[in-house]
């Protein structure tokens, strides 16, 4: 799989793949971490070019880039 992301980031990425419209809080509920932790991983994944946000925070969805 991908070498430059952590195991925790992979969990977030997989959850986003399955549920692209979910909020950080909903993803946190799936993988069992805090929503702040999910937000941190999402930020890291965005910086690394794996995901992007399309649309607004409320109505948008995540796009997998890699």
């Amino acid at each position: 799989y991908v070498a430059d992301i952590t195991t925790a980031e992979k969990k977030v990425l997989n959850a986003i793949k399955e549920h692209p419209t979910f909020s950080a809080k909903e993803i946190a509920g799936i993988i069992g971490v805090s929503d702040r932790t999910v937000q941190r991983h999402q930020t890291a994944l965005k910086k690394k070019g794996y995901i992007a946000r399309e649309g607004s925070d409320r109505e948008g969805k995540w796009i997998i880039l890699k």
Side-chain angles (χ1 to χ4, degrees):
Y1 199 66
V2 186
D4 64 333
I5 63 174
T6 66
T7 304
E9 288 168 355
K10 284 180 190 171
K11 286 182 183 175
V12 173
L13 190 60
N14 288 332
I16 288 171
K17 279 180 187 169
E18 290 180 36
H19 309 283
T21 59
F22 273 24
S23 68
K25 189 170 192 168
E26 290 169 311
I27 291 171
I30 293 173
I31 61 176
V33 296
S34 72
D35 48 343
R36 182 67 193 107
T37 298
V38 171
Q39 290 167 356
R40 217 172 27 252
H41 293 318
Q42 287 172 331
T43 300
L45 289 165
K46 277 195 284 189
K47 284 181 182 171
K48 293 174 184 179
Y50 284 92
I51 59 173
R53 188 73 181 169
E54 182 177 87
S56 69
D57 286 347
R58 187 177 293 274
E59 300 292 325
K61 64 179 182 174
W62 290 103
I63 307 297
I64 306 294
L65 302 173
K66 290 187 186 177

